[in-house]
Amino acid sequence: MTVPASPADDEPHELPGDEPHDSPEEPTGHLPAQLADELTDFVTHCVPLTGFAAFDLRATGTARLYLDTARRQVGEGRFAAFWAAWKRAVADGHGPEVLTPTHREVARALIYLWYTGAWPRLAPAAHAELRRERANTEFVPAPSAYVEGLVWRTFHGHPAGAKPPGFGTWAGKPPGLPDTARLRADLGLADVPYRTGLAAEVPPEDIPAHLLPGQRVSRDVPPSAVPTAAAPLTSEAAATPEAAATSEATVAPAAPGTPEEGTS
């Protein structure tokens, strides 16, 4: 038996609150000009945050997802204030060090989001200042975010369970890290003075390794050489002369400690 179609079936259906994304002036399947412009602005100013070129950030296909996620978690107005402050810092040749503590926390969250595909738990003080009612917990905004995390590209690897490399991939040696000149050229910074984190402009070869943009080895000190932290002192114990002497010794240890040293 065939059920006759009702006249209402011929009418377009829209979910409550939905707005059409295309207009007669816009080609179907394209972002409106305003959305495209803000996405370009977002990607452009995430380049100095991540150290990856705009092409690489766009290639993840997650830029719109990350922008919307950050706005929801920080709040529309407060994210706009952070973004304006970050753009001013970039225009003046600075980095996150000139931002307020809360804005630095938002910048850290964006970096974490790009690299891991997850929005992190914010520092409690920053979350309180943002006055957000959302739960302050880490979460992955979409399955594709994990797969497209920049962290996998930093060592030419692939996310576990997704994007497996081709047969025989591990028989070849991965390409080495690019030098400073190549990084600056790829990021469009070849002719721009580099001052992020520095008091004045310096030649590229004199930039401290931990301040270099782009892909790099994040730690050149083996974990075994890092001294362990001392156990926290109670308020009563901290007032004794012995505790003061112990604290001074902990600040500048003579040699790296072992797992058994520095704990009680």
Side-chain angles (χ1 to χ4, degrees):
M1 181 178 66
T2 303
V3 179
S6 65
D9 292 336
D10 296 329
E11 298 296 329
H13 296 277
E14 293 183 359
L15 294 175
D18 281 0
E19 297 180 0
H21 294 288
D22 298 312
S23 62
E25 294 79 12
E26 299 289 346
T28 303
H30 289 70
L31 285 173
Q34 182 178 359
L35 295 180
D37 289 345
E38 72 173 11
L39 196 60
T40 298
D41 180 73
F42 178 68
V43 170
T44 299
H45 288 88
C46 279
V47 167
L49 277 178
T50 62
F52 277 81
F55 177 87
D56 296 314
L57 299 184
R58 285 187 177 276
T60 64
T62 58
R64 168 56 59 183
L65 172 67
Y66 291 168
L67 175 57
D68 292 342
T69 298
R71 280 176 170 164
R72 285 195 303 269
Q73 295 302 311
V74 178
E76 186 80 25
R78 289 178 173 83
F79 182 81
F82 154 74
W83 199 243
W86 173 237
K87 290 173 67 173
R88 286 194 302 270
V90 172
D92 294 338
H94 297 295
E97 76 281 353
V98 300
L99 301 177
T100 66
T102 298
H103 284 172
R104 284 200 301 270
E105 185 66 8
V106 176
R108 180 191 72 86
L110 270 179
I111 297 170
Y112 192 96
L113 181 61
W114 275 109
Y115 270 81
T116 69
W119 179 266
R121 181 178 183 271
L122 299 178
H127 187 262
E129 184 173 339
L130 292 172
R131 299 180 181 275
R132 301 301 292 156
E133 295 181 357
R134 296 179 178 272
N136 189 20
T137 57
E138 182 173 343
F139 70 95
V140 178
S144 60
Y146 160 75
V147 177
E148 297 297 338
L150 297 178
V151 63
W152 311 113
R153 304 188 182 197
T154 61
F155 59 91
H156 303 285
H158 69 96
K163 282 190 173 181
F167 177 77
T169 301
W170 296 108
K173 184 178 179 180
L177 296 175
D179 57 21
T180 304
R182 171 67 182 278
L183 284 172
R184 289 173 61 84
D186 290 346
L187 296 175
L189 301 174
D191 299 324
V192 178
Y194 188 80
R195 291 185 52 188
T196 301
L198 303 174
E201 178 185 353
V202 297
E205 60 271 13
D206 293 337
I207 300 173
H210 69 284
L211 292 179
L212 288 174
Q215 307 171 27
R216 64 182 185 275
V217 179
S218 62
R219 178 192 288 271
D220 58 2
V221 179
S224 59
V226 179
T228 57
L233 298 175
T234 62
S235 57
E236 294 79 6
T240 63
E242 294 79 4
T246 303
S247 300
E248 292 177 358
T250 305
V251 172
T258 62
E260 294 75 22
E261 296 175 350
T263 59
S264 57

